[in-house]
Each structure stands twice: as C-alpha cells, then as structure tokens.
Amino acid sequence: MTTRRVRARPGEGPLLREEILAAAEALLIESGTEDALTLRAVARRAGVTTPSVYLHFADKEALLEAVCLRVWDQLDSDMNAAAARARDPFRALGMAGIAYARFALSHPVQYRVLMMRSPATTAALACHRRMVESVTACVEAGALRGDPEKLALSLWAAVHGCVSLLIAQPGFPWPDDLDAFIEETVAMAGFGAALSSRIPRRTPWTTPVLTERLDALAAGLPTR
Amino acid sequence: MTTRRVRARPGEGPLLREEILAAAEALLIESGTEDALTLRAVARRAGVTTPSVYLHFADKEALLEAVCLRVWDQLDSDMNAAAARARDPFRALGMAGIAYARFALSHPVQYRVLMMRSPATTAALACHRRMVESVTACVEAGALRGDPEKLALSLWAAVHGCVSLLIAQPGFPWPDDLDAFIEETVAMAGFGAALSSRIPRRTPWTTPVLTERLDALAAGLPTR
DNA sequence: ACATCAGGTTGACACTGTCATCCTGACGGC
DNA sequence: GCCGTCAGGATGACAGTGTCAACCTGATGT
C-alpha cells in the first residue's frame, strides 16, 4: 500500500464510491475484459484496502454491474439524437438501430457484461423500451403493422445479434467494411419487419410468386 | 475421496478423458451454469484427483470448450434434417433457422459458453458455414440476391440475437408463445433479406411509397 | 473533555486454477 | 521368475480470489 488515500470526512462517504467506480471503469477499459476486474486490483487502484469496497457495493457482481451501467445513459441519448436526424419514423428507426450498434461497439466490455450475462435485466428493459417507442411511431405512420412490443423484440434481436457476435467472436473473419455490414443488417431487419408484418403467418406463399413480386417492387423504386 | 476410480490399464488412457467429459457435462446441465464447473468438482465426480484432469486437458478453458463442443455435432444434423423437410430452398432456410434456435434453447449453457465468450471461433465458423450453404441455394433459386456470405451473416445475426437474448436474459418479460416469437423473428429475417437484397443501399425510397407497394404486394398473396 | 459513529483497516477463511514432484502397478525382455 | 520402464495417476503446495468478523481512528456534536 504505497500511496494511501486520505480518509473522507464524515458526510463525504459516497465520494469513495465514485472513486471506486472510476478505478473499476479504468481497469475494465484498459484490460478489455471483465476478468481483470478483481476487487484487489480495484481497491489498490483507488488507494484503499480491499474490504472497503464492500462499504459501497454488496459484492463484486454489484460493482461490475454498476460500472457497466455507468455508460448506459448515453445509449438513450445516442439513439434519440440519431433518430432525430430523420423526420420519417421508419428512417429514424434505422438510424436508432445503427446508433445502438455503434454504442455497443464503443463499449464492448460493458455491453457484454450487461447483455450476455444472467440477470442484468434493467439494461435490457431500457433497450427494449427505447425500441418500442421508435416502432410505435412506425406503426402509427403505417410503415409497420402489428404489435409494437413484438416487432421491437424481433428488431432488437437482430441488431443485438449483430453486435453480440462482433463483440464475442473477434477472431471470426468478418467483412472488411463493418459499418456496411451493420447497415445491411439493420436494413434487413427493418425491411423484414415491414414486409413480414404484412404477411400473416401460415400464409401459403410460394417462393416463385414472392420472388416475382419482390422484383417488381424493387424495380418500381426510384434509383439514385 | 470416498470411491476411487479403478486405474486404467496401459493403452486405455483416453478412457478417463471420456469420463471426465461426461462428469463435466453432467455438472453443467445439473447446475445450469458454467460457474459450477470447477476442476475439483469435475475430478471428484469422475472419481479422480484434481490434477489428473491436466493429463487430458490443457487447462480449465480447454475442458469447458471440449464439453460444450460435444453437443455441437447435433446442430448440423438438426439443421439438415429441418431443411430437408421443405423442398423449396427459401422455406428450407426458414426451417434451418428455426432448428438453429431450438438447438440453442435446448443447450443453453453450451450455447452461451461457445458463442458469448471470447474465442470459440470454431463453433461459430461451423454455424456460419452451414448458413452459407442454405443461403447459396436461395440465391441460386432467385429468392435472395447478393453475396451469400454477407447475407448469411445478417441472417445468422438475427437468429443468434433472438436466442442469445432469450438465454442471457431469462428475467425479461418475453412473450408467452416463444415458438411464435422465434418463428416471427426468423420470418422477419428471411423476408428482410429477400427484400433488402433487392434494394441497393442509398436508394432514395420514401416510406409512403414503400408502404403502398408493400401493402399491394401483401394483398396479392394468396390467403389460406 | 468526552462519547459517538462514519469511514475505514487487519487478519483470516474457504475456495479456486495450476504446477513440480513423487508414487504404483502392469507390461516386455531376458 | 525377475527387473527396468513407463503410462497413469496421486500428493502437496503455491499464489490468487471473494468474503466476512473484528478492530481501529479520527473528526464531530455537545
């Protein structure tokens, strides 16, 4: 214990909490993995003994969750800002999806901890709620049809799967242009929701008919 | 160490490897989480001392990966069997996607370990390769257009995201009918790939036009 | 001056992955 | 029948982990 932290004065207790969070966040970002987040390393970095962490966090898991939730507020404002750049609700939905992916890739450790572990449901609920808002606007505008809750779930799953694989499988031979891949996945999900929500399940469509209609539809769209 | 395992005779060395794998798999399934897989628990269950595990596995991570890879062979045959139930390639693609989701939900621990951790890329490669095959058939049949590799990635991402969220967020308020949710997500991805692959990026489509065309397309499809 | 209590520290416990070292029993050669 | 050899393990130990009960300490209100 080389440099010991000066003791907080009474009433300034929560001050240490912030220092611990900052130390843990730095450790997480520098190492790139949550395995490096040991209580001893965090305490040493905060200039405090190990058990002092328990004065502000119930256990290691609570600390880890608190650290990762720290960046989560930015997600909502990111998605809002991105959606605001398009007045059309359906395009705004796509913008929000791309913003979601960018956010996840900007905070890979936090995203993995909160979304790929057992119960970090509060963060997941925030994601879903935000999605439902954008989807509801699209339903009201007529771009999508059906239950916004379920539509949002499927759309969310698609973009989550994209960033989830990118984060968890860095050794995979991903395409060179990741931005393009993300955009294409978001587009697939959006167009898919628009089309699929118009086709009742158990509809006896056949692939040749579908192919012909899709070709006709695409041919009728304006080209740049 | 109550019941000690009878020692294997020379030449029967790999026999213990299977017993360790079986013990580890049982531990994984009974507990439902990989945290319960400690080397001591595995060794005790196999009737062997702890360091003996190192005779057959480099370290704990290698054991965990080997255990989870044990069920992975079934995925390929599951998807093949499901795809074979439809002669149409595009419907077969959907069947394969649903089979993928069912497999993942049947082996949640193994799926999480192999797909939501840092480098288990061999399993991911197997998934992707299998997807590319189904997608290639759809491209040749005209249902999808574009690069099968990228199309497969986006489709895979969608279904992976779906099961990934279901596995990692069990506390989330999911819809009652999970099968329907999975089918809808797969349908969204499939229809989305079909439509999106026909619309070049940066196409200046507008939502009202798109909505009108989609409604017309859906109205022209046969009803049951 | 004194009791009080927030804000820590000390020391320990059980448990983990991992390793160097040693033992043991079956086999082949003579 | 005997012995060396080597695969197949067992022993004991080490450093590191999360966690907790017990203790200390210094500022503050009175």
Side-chain angles (χ1 to χ4, degrees):
Chain A
M1 210 66 51
T2 59
T3 63
R4 187 181 296 186
R5 175 177 173 277
V6 291
R7 179 170 166 177
R9 303 167 60 186
E12 295 175 346
L15 199 136
L16 175 58
R17 185 191 158 93
E18 277 307 311
E19 291 190 23
I20 291 177
L21 279 176
E25 186 171 29
L27 225 61
L28 221 58
I29 294 177
E30 287 175 12
S31 71
T33 169
E34 62 270 29
D35 296 337
L37 193 83
T38 89
L39 287 182
R40 283 170 168 81
V42 169
R44 191 179 321 134
R45 184 145 189 154
V48 160
T49 59
T50 311
S52 298
V53 178
Y54 285 89
L55 294 174
H56 298 279
F57 300 95
D59 54 6
K60 180 190 176 180
E61 205 60 28
L63 167 62
L64 189 58
E65 186 177 335
V67 171
C68 295
L69 272 175
R70 239 184 162 205
V71 294
W72 218 252
D73 296 335
Q74 196 192 331
L75 171 60
D76 216 61
S77 53
D78 279 8
M79 291 178 73
N80 281 328
R85 295 190 52 197
R87 41 185 39 158
D88 182 275
F90 193 49
R91 290 207 111 110
L93 178 64
M95 295 292 203
I98 292 177
Y100 181 97
R102 286 202 208 291
F103 168 84
L105 296 182
S106 299
H107 310 283
V109 202
Q110 290 94 331
Y111 190 84
R112 174 170 57 224
V113 169
L114 287 184
M115 299 296 287
M116 311 189 201
R117 284 189 164 209
S118 282
T121 315
T122 69
L125 283 173
C127 296
H128 179 237
R129 203 171 348 253
R130 184 58 187 75
M131 284 283 195
V132 170
E133 291 180 23
S134 291
V135 169
T136 302
C138 292
V139 171
E140 289 173 355
L144 301 179
R145 302 205 181 286
D147 180 11
E149 296 273 342
K150 294 186 178 177
L151 285 171
L153 279 180
S154 292
L155 287 165
W156 176 36
V159 56
H160 164 75
C162 179
V163 297
S164 169
L165 283 177
L166 282 170
I167 290 174
Q169 305 282 340
F172 193 87
W174 297 109
D176 298 329
D177 193 343
L178 278 190
D179 279 340
F181 171 55
I182 291 171
E183 284 185 29
E184 283 167 15
T185 303
V186 169
M188 179 204 76
F191 288 139
L195 176 54
S196 180
S197 65
R198 286 171 163 80
I199 303 180
R201 290 204 300 140
R202 309 295 180 190
T203 295
W205 51 265
T206 64
T207 300
V209 171
L210 201 64
T211 298
E212 178 202 349
R213 305 293 165 83
L214 287 171
D215 284 338
L217 189 154
L221 287 181
T223 67
R224 182 146 82 128
Chain B
M1 209 69 45
T2 61
T3 64
R4 186 181 297 185
R5 175 177 175 275
V6 293
R7 177 170 166 175
R9 303 168 60 187
E12 295 175 348
L15 198 136
L16 175 58
R17 185 191 158 92
E18 277 307 311
E19 292 190 24
I20 291 178
L21 279 177
E25 185 172 28
L27 225 61
L28 221 57
I29 294 177
E30 288 175 11
S31 71
T33 168
E34 63 270 27
D35 295 336
L37 193 84
T38 86
L39 286 182
R40 283 169 170 81
V42 170
R44 192 181 318 135
R45 184 147 190 154
V48 159
T49 58
T50 309
S52 297
V53 179
Y54 285 89
L55 294 174
H56 298 279
F57 299 95
D59 54 6
K60 182 191 177 181
E61 204 59 28
L63 168 62
L64 188 59
E65 185 177 336
V67 171
C68 295
L69 272 175
R70 237 183 165 206
V71 294
W72 219 251
D73 296 336
Q74 198 192 330
L75 172 60
D76 215 61
S77 54
D78 279 7
M79 291 179 73
N80 281 328
R85 296 190 52 197
R87 40 185 41 155
D88 182 276
F90 193 49
R91 289 207 112 107
L93 178 62
M95 296 292 203
I98 292 177
Y100 181 97
R102 285 202 208 292
F103 168 84
L105 295 181
S106 299
H107 311 284
V109 201
Q110 291 92 333
Y111 190 84
R112 175 170 54 224
V113 169
L114 286 184
M115 299 296 287
M116 311 188 201
R117 284 188 164 212
S118 281
T121 315
T122 72
L125 282 173
C127 295
H128 179 238
R129 200 163 1 246
R130 183 60 188 73
M131 283 284 195
V132 170
E133 291 179 23
S134 292
V135 170
T136 303
C138 293
V139 170
E140 289 172 354
L144 300 180
R145 303 203 181 287
D147 179 13
E149 296 274 343
K150 294 186 178 177
L151 285 171
L153 279 180
S154 291
L155 287 164
W156 176 36
V159 55
H160 164 77
C162 179
V163 298
S164 169
L165 283 178
L166 283 170
I167 290 174
Q169 305 282 339
F172 193 87
W174 297 107
D176 299 329
D177 193 344
L178 277 190
D179 279 339
F181 171 55
I182 291 171
E183 285 186 28
E184 283 167 16
T185 303
V186 170
M188 178 203 77
F191 288 138
L195 176 53
S196 180
S197 65
R198 286 171 164 78
I199 303 181
R201 290 203 301 139
R202 311 292 178 189
T203 296
W205 51 265
T206 64
T207 301
V209 172
L210 200 66
T211 298
E212 177 203 350
R213 306 291 166 85
L214 287 171
D215 283 337
L217 188 156
L221 287 180
T223 67
R224 181 151 83 126

